[in-house]
Amino acid sequence: MENLIALLVAAPLLGAAVLLCGGRRLDRGGHWIGTLLAVVSFAVGVLLFTDMLGKDPEHRAMHQALFSWIPVEGFQADVAFQLDQLSMTFVLLITGVGSLIHVYSIGYMEHDERRRRFFGYLNLFLAAMLLLVIADNYLLLYVGWEGVGLASYLLIGFWQHKPSAATAAKKAFLVNRVGDMGLSIAIMLMFTTFGTFAFGPVLESTSETSEGMLTAIGLMLLLAACGKSAQVPLQSWLGDAMEGPTPVSALIHAATMVTAGVYLITRSGAIFNGAPDAQLAVVIVGAVTLLFGAIVGCAKDDIKKALAGSTMSQIGYMILAAGLGPIGYAFAIMHLVTHGFFKAGLFLGAGSVMHGMNDEVDMRKYGGLRKYMPVTFVTFGLGYLAIIGFPGLSGFWSKDKIIEAAFAYDDGIRGWIFGGVALLGAGITAFYMTRVMIMTFFGEKRWQPDAEGNEPHPHESPRSMTIPMIVLAFGSVFAGGLFSLNESFVKWLEPVTQFEHPHPVISVPAITASTVVVLLLGAALAYVMYGRKEVPVTAPRGSLLTRAARRDLLQDDFNHVVLVRGGEHLTRSLVYVDHTMVDGAVNGTAAGFGGLSGRLRKVQNGFARSYAVSMFGGTAILIAATLLMRAV
Amino acid sequence: MSPVNYLYLAALLFAIGATGVLIRRNAIVVFMCIELMLNACNLTLVTFSRMHGNLDGQIIAFFTMVVAAAEVVVGLAIIVSLFRSRHSASVDDASLMKL
């Protein structure tokens, strides 16, 4: 069984190689190859999962050593895989949602002449993401980490003829690079501290390491997670990443890749458990981002950007939970999985709406679409109910647990602060998602013919698109309940992530009740603002906060002023130093030697007799020296 | 007579030759002064040979004479061709080898 693990990565990797190197003759059937190989990977995952279920919970982890990558004395890097319960959860999520999105893309990308390439990139992404989650050491994880970054870059910029898409891809790549620096520094620190990269030895020997070192490694890992998972302060790329095709947004920028940061923190749990300061930083980042994303999501009129804000916010919840330690890891991963279902479903729904509306993304130009796209409406609606945490649906089970765990953080003032933030976030989530729902599917139709007189004719999408949406809607509805039955999900993960029952500062039923009240309040507010009144087609000026939120709470302006301008000043002063001091030293030396040699040149005057004098003098000195040495 | 006197003579001859090389301009005179220095060296060699009682120094003196003869051939040829082209035998006139 263990030997099958490599096949998880190999299948999509083969697909990527065939599709990207195969050339035009694969144009007609390439998407089937890509989809088939994604499904193969999923089938292998299911096979391994059933095998794992049959084993004793403590001995479920499987290993496969493939080959030694860098065999050097004192530096051992192996290509080896480790499939434990945590990795297995990710494998099923990635291959499952990945396969569905491959199917969806067959319909969505039907008219794109570069469809083969698109599927090649998608397969490349799957391979890299799977490598990331089944690697058994940090160095191999880093390979996958960079691989998903590459795939993300290629797919965001897939429509590279649009300058906005090309810029967005570059932006995502650059911002991610900052985070990747954090990961590489963390790995270097690990190597100097533990002498190895492998998860086992590193995570087992954390108790013998100083807290300062663990905090440093933890903070660097947090930086890495911030980059990949679009957390404050490296969040600015995610909104622009929506320039990519919608299936990409669903798979990479909602369900899987952006959750890699949560995986990294959960996987490195032993390090964070030994570094409470780093954990506090993680919790703060999560709490700030969950509010940040939610506020941005409230103001966006672009349906995909509103959902991107929501993704940021939901990942903020996961990071928050992962920072809480053993009381939160399992819930972070559980929310990650349920979020994978409903957010992918929401994005696919948004893609379906765009597909029927001539790629219009402005929600102010939708309205009343429920009559035209019933399947999209129902699946999107179920995803909506799941994400706001409507009782009984997936999001309720997972998000409520995170709020409970947040209230249990440190049983003092911190519990109140972070619990309160998580609760507030739930209310804002309900507000902005209700807003999206109402503006898209309810009210009167607001679309108009465009400049060439083409009026959109909204219609239901083809079956290849609706079936994945239906499957994901099932997941959105039932996954959370299923996971919470007998705490089965927590028990499943417990051998890897440990688990402690949270003890919140207020009672659990009170938290659940207040969560429901808050979400109803948020939804009601959105209904009053957008459902009762006509939605204007052009956005009103709005309050100061709204305007700031439309500009992503000025994150780009901040980056521009602080980083770009600052960087410009820095480079300018460096150039000045370079010109005056470095070049000055070099040129000065050169000029000095030039002057000296100009003077020395005069010694060579062409007069044979003056040469004879120097020879004579030299010889005399030599003889004198010899005699002197002899005398001494 | 002590052989050391020959060494004094040789040193005197060498000093005269060196001074001549350094202060005279006429190439022929410079040349003759060089020969004078060579012969001063020969005299030294022969004197040391006598003082130490072996023949090595005298043999080296023969070699020096042969080399000096060969040098005279080349050197005079150079001086003659220099005189033909520049109508002067002054070493200071031939100062083209400079920057």
Side-chain angles (χ1 to χ4, degrees), chain A residues 330-390:
Chain A
F331 299 139
I333 301 300
M334 182 160 138
H335 193 54
L336 193 157
V337 175
T338 55
H339 174 257
F341 283 121
F342 55 67
K343 187 52 67 65
L346 288 169
F347 264 111
L348 295 189
S352 172
V353 169
M354 286 159 60
H355 195 71
M357 294 290 289
N358 295 350
D359 286 328
E360 178 62 63
V361 290
D362 189 350
M363 292 190 290
R364 292 186 185 278
K365 295 183 181 147
Y366 292 167
L369 287 176
R370 70 181 187 283
K371 284 173 280 195
Y372 301 92
M373 317 181 165
V375 181
T376 307
F377 168 62
V378 172
T379 54
F380 196 94
L382 291 173
Y384 153 74
L385 289 177
I387 193 175
I388 64 170
F390 194 78

Side-chain angles (χ1 to χ4, degrees), chain A residues 103-111 115 348 351-356 372-373 375-376 459-470:
Chain A
V103 173
Y104 179 90
S105 305
I106 294 174
Y108 191 83
M109 300 299 280
E110 197 172 2
H111 306 299
R115 178 162 66 165
L348 295 189
S352 172
V353 169
M354 286 159 60
H355 195 71
Y372 301 92
M373 317 181 165
V375 181
T376 307
H459 54 84
E460 192 52 88
S461 300
R463 204 164 297 159
S464 66
M465 289 168 70
T466 49
I467 288 173
M469 285 153 58
I470 293 168

Side-chain angles (χ1 to χ4, degrees), chain B residues 18-95:
Chain B
T19 317
V21 168
L22 295 181
I23 64 171
R24 297 302 299 263
R25 289 203 187 85
N26 190 322
I28 302 287
V29 177
V30 170
F31 202 71
M32 287 197 301
C33 288
I34 291 172
E35 292 304 312
L36 198 58
M37 291 198 302
L38 278 172
N39 283 321
C41 291
N42 276 350
L43 186 57
T44 323
L45 285 168
V46 171
T47 310
F48 280 127
S49 175
R50 169 85 188 187
M51 280 164 78
H52 296 139
N54 64 19
L55 288 175
D56 296 0
Q58 304 200 21
I59 290 165
I60 294 173
F62 279 118
F63 277 101
T64 316
M65 279 182 222
V66 173
V67 172
E71 184 227 322
V72 166
V73 173
V74 178
L76 281 178
I78 291 172
I79 291 170
V80 168
S81 70
L82 199 67
F83 184 76
R84 276 196 190 147
S85 62
R86 308 183 68 88
H87 302 287
S88 147
S90 167
V91 286
D92 284 4
D93 284 351
S95 63

Side-chain angles (χ1 to χ4, degrees), chain A residues 155-398:
Chain A
L155 285 165
I156 295 170
F158 185 72
W159 287 321
Q160 66 217 163
H161 53 86
K162 284 197 292 182
S164 57
T167 318
K170 249 188 286 178
K171 184 175 178 186
F173 199 79
L174 288 175
V175 177
N176 267 294
R177 201 103 321 257
V178 179
D180 296 347
M181 280 310 294
L183 184 55
S184 58
I185 292 171
I187 293 174
M188 291 177 213
L189 284 178
M190 276 174 204
F191 185 74
T192 53
T193 316
F194 305 106
T196 175
F197 311 111
F199 288 148
V202 168
L203 299 176
E204 275 156 24
S205 51
T206 48
S207 52
E208 297 135 37
T209 314
S210 72
E211 195 185 316
M213 182 48 87
L214 290 180
T215 308
I217 296 176
L219 289 177
M220 285 298 120
L221 289 174
L222 174 63
L223 180 67
C226 283
K228 202 55 97 194
S229 294
Q231 301 294 296
V232 174
L234 298 178
Q235 80 291 15
S236 64
W237 64 273
L238 188 63
D240 296 273
M242 297 299 124
E243 287 292 340
T246 309
V248 172
S249 310
L251 177 62
I252 302 185
H253 305 119
T256 56
M257 186 193 82
V258 285
T259 58
V262 184
Y263 171 77
L264 185 68
I265 292 178
T266 310
R267 174 59 79 194
S268 315
I271 293 173
F272 284 95
N273 291 345
D277 294 336
Q279 277 188 320
L280 180 63
V282 174
V283 173
I284 291 173
V285 164
V288 168
T289 312
L290 86 85
L291 287 182
F292 189 103
I295 293 170
V296 169
C298 292
K300 291 288 184 185
D301 290 329
D302 178 329
I303 184 167
K304 284 180 72 183
K305 292 200 171 162
L307 291 177
S310 156
T311 303
M312 211 185 275
S313 165
Q314 298 301 315
I315 296 171
Y317 272 108
M318 299 171 209
I319 296 276
L320 171 73
L324 296 174
I327 56 170
Y329 292 133
F331 299 139
I333 301 300
M334 182 160 138
H335 193 54
L336 193 157
V337 175
T338 55
H339 174 257
F341 283 121
F342 55 67
K343 187 52 67 65
L346 288 169
F347 264 111
L348 295 189
S352 172
V353 169
M354 286 159 60
H355 195 71
M357 294 290 289
N358 295 350
D359 286 328
E360 178 62 63
V361 290
D362 189 350
M363 292 190 290
R364 292 186 185 278
K365 295 183 181 147
Y366 292 167
L369 287 176
R370 70 181 187 283
K371 284 173 280 195
Y372 301 92
M373 317 181 165
V375 181
T376 307
F377 168 62
V378 172
T379 54
F380 196 94
L382 291 173
Y384 153 74
L385 289 177
I387 193 175
I388 64 170
F390 194 78
L393 276 75
S394 287
F396 169 75
W397 299 106
S398 53

Side-chain angles (χ1 to χ4, degrees), chain A residues 601 604-607 609 613, chain B residues 22-24 92 95 98-99:
Chain A
R601 193 167 70 175
Q604 183 138 7
N605 52 14
F607 291 116
R609 292 186 306 140
V613 169
Chain B
L22 295 181
I23 64 171
R24 297 302 299 263
D92 284 4
S95 63
K98 65 178 174 189
L99 286 163

Side-chain angles (χ1 to χ4, degrees), chain A residues 464-494:
Chain A
S464 66
M465 289 168 70
T466 49
I467 288 173
M469 285 153 58
I470 293 168
V471 176
L472 288 170
F474 269 99
S476 318
V477 175
F478 297 114
L482 207 63
F483 292 163
S484 302
L485 214 63
N486 294 329
E487 296 195 315
S488 55
F489 193 81
V490 171
K491 283 185 188 143
W492 158 255
L493 277 184
E494 196 179 347

